[in-house]
Amino acid sequence: MAKLVGKMISLDDPSYRSFLELPKTETVSRILLLIVGIGYGAISIASQASYISSFDSALLQNFLVPGIFIIFGILTAFITKVGMAALLWAGSKALGGTAKYRAISLVTPVALLPGLLGAPHLAGLGDGSLGVNLLLLIGVVWMYLVSGKIIQTVQGFTATKAYLSAGMAFLFLASVYYLVIPAS
C-alpha cells in the first residue's frame, strides 16, 4: 500500500486508478489523513515548544498539551481535506465533470501529503528564510500536480483540462487566503 501511495506522490498515472479500485481505499484514505493530521500536530508542537515547556507539570508538558496539538492537527487535516475536495470537485464540475464529491474526497489526502512541506512556513518557523519559503513553494506546486492527477483520474479529463480545473481551485483558495490573512 505504501508503495502505491509513493507512486501516486511521484505522479504515476496508473497508480491513481489502482488506488480507487482497491477494496480498502477508504481505510487507506483515512490512514493517510491521520498521518497528515499528526504531521500538522507535530509542526504545531515544534512551533510552540517554548509555550509547552512553560508548564510546570511534566504530565502537561509531555502528554496533555502535545496531545491537544495532535488532536487539533488531525481536526485541521480533516477540515483541509473537506475544503480541498470541495474546491477540486467544484472546479472540475465547472468544466463538465460528472464524478461525485466522494470519489474526489477519497483521494484528496494524497494531495495533502506534499503540503506538509509548507507546514513550517505556516507554523512561523524559519523566520521567512529562503529554505522555508522554498519548501512552501515546492509543497504547493507538488499539491497542485497531484490534484491535477486526481481530477484527471476521477473525472476522466485530459491532462490540460484537469490542470485547468485544479488551477481554478487553487486560484480560489489563494484569493480566500489573500482576503483572510492580513498583509504584514
Side-chain angles (χ1 to χ4, degrees):
M1 192 54 62
K3 191 174 187 178
L4 181 61
V5 173
K7 286 182 176 183
M8 292 171 74
I9 292 295
S10 65
L11 307 173
D12 178 57
D13 283 336
S15 62
Y16 288 87
R17 179 62 49 209
S18 297
F19 180 79
L20 287 169
E21 292 170 355
L22 287 173
K24 296 182 180 183
T25 298
E26 196 167 319
T27 302
V28 174
S29 179
R30 287 181 181 153
I31 290 170
L32 289 174
L33 188 62
L34 184 64
I35 290 168
V36 170
I38 291 170
Y40 286 172
I43 293 295
S44 296
I45 290 168
S47 68
Q48 298 296 323
S50 61
Y51 169 71
I52 293 170
S53 66
S54 71
F55 288 99
D56 292 333
S57 166
L59 179 66
L60 288 172
Q61 282 182 8
N62 300 319
F63 181 71
L64 290 177
V65 176
I68 290 169
F69 278 108
I70 295 293
I71 289 168
F72 276 101
I74 293 168
L75 181 61
T76 300
F78 176 76
I79 292 168
T80 303
K81 176 199 140 185
V82 169
M84 185 165 180
L87 288 174
L88 294 175
W89 175 80
S92 60
K93 189 81 169 164
L95 294 179
T98 58
K100 304 235 184 258
Y101 167 84
R102 187 177 189 301
I104 291 175
S105 178
L106 280 173
V107 193
T108 300
V110 175
L112 297 179
L113 286 171
L116 288 172
L117 293 174
H121 175 80
L122 298 174
L125 300 174
D127 233 3
S129 72
L130 178 62
V132 169
N133 289 336
L134 189 58
L135 279 175
L136 173 66
L137 180 63
I138 291 168
V140 170
V141 169
W142 201 352
M143 284 176 69
Y144 167 74
L145 294 172
V146 171
S147 296
K149 291 288 184 188
I150 290 169
I151 292 172
Q152 185 178 1
T153 302
V154 173
Q155 296 289 12
F157 284 174
T158 64
T160 302
K161 195 172 181 181
Y163 284 111
L164 178 62
S165 175
M168 290 183 344
F170 274 65
L171 185 62
F172 180 81
L173 182 63
S175 65
V176 169
Y177 181 80
Y178 176 77
L179 291 174
V180 172
I181 303 300
S184 47

